[in-house]
Amino acid sequence: MEIIDGKKLSIEILKDLKNKVEALDFKPVFCDILVGKDLPSVKYVNLKKIKAESIGIKFHEANFAEDITTEELISEIENINKIENMCGVIVQLPLPKHIDTDKVLGFIDPKLDVDCLGEVASRNFYNGNLDIVPPTALACMYLLDTLDLDLKKKNIVVLGEGKLVGKPVMNLLKYRGLDFKSINSNTENKEEILKNADVIISGVGKGKIIEGDMVKEGVVIIDAGTSEEDSILVGDVDFESILDKSYACTPVPGGVGPVTVAMLFTNVLKVAYNKKNG
């Protein structure tokens, strides 16, 4: 089995981005808004700060107390939108329960919405504007493309229909003219559909729900699901049981995650080009 090394691939992508950022006549700014002190969120924001600065993008700090109100956070976002050379604004999720997440995301300037989660940016994507694509979905397709498969001849299955992975991945597959089946909690014959899949893209977020005896020999799995098991990050795939069964699989951690960060900054660069070109 080939273990698809997302860390190695992300290094190559970021190296290319660094060269392109250095060629700009201004320094792009990126902001990942953090509310509260949730440890995984803090770590993820810090990781993006390190990656941004490593390729020449300025990271704008925006950390707010957990008790900030929806209206106060919206006011802060409106100010961040206006920062000179801002080329990407995202909000680290999940937000505290008292905050209206959809409302907050809706106040990110759609031109700066590099996570593509606000209503306008999301609608543009689903209406066929692929200038800015949800980073995790973009990462899934990129990783699949590294295998150089003829996807038109493959039985593709998308497991989960969430707005971060499943739904945008299905949109990208449709855009490419590829046939696929999707599985959600209400799908009949789930086991049979999964067993016949040549390619599985999973974004359920439930640890180790895909085991070796559930898939066919030679299957390709892009595992974009993450959850914690005994404080350890695991994917949707029971990796050990799949090792001898699959043709290729992404590990968790170290697969989709690093490439998602790289794709996020690919979107930031696109915004920078748009600014440069007027």
Side-chain angles (χ1 to χ4, degrees), residues 84-104:
E84 186 178 7
N85 295 332
M86 182 59 72
C87 292
V89 180
I90 68 173
V91 175
Q92 188 60 43
L93 302 177
L95 289 170
K97 291 181 180 179
H98 69 275
I99 293 178
D100 186 334
T101 298
D102 288 340
K103 188 174 181 181
V104 165

Side-chain angles (χ1 to χ4, degrees), residues 2 4 13 20 82 85 88-89 93 101 142 146 250 269:
E2 178 181 348
I4 308 171
I13 299 166
K20 290 174 179 175
K82 298 171 187 172
N85 295 332
V89 180
L93 302 177
T101 298
Y142 180 90
T146 64
T250 56
L269 182 65

Side-chain angles (χ1 to χ4, degrees), residues 181 183 186-196:
K181 293 183 176 70
I183 297 176
N186 298 318
T187 303
E188 296 181 1
N189 302 321
K190 295 185 186 71
E191 295 81 7
E192 183 181 349
I193 294 170
L194 204 61
K195 191 76 173 179
N196 290 324

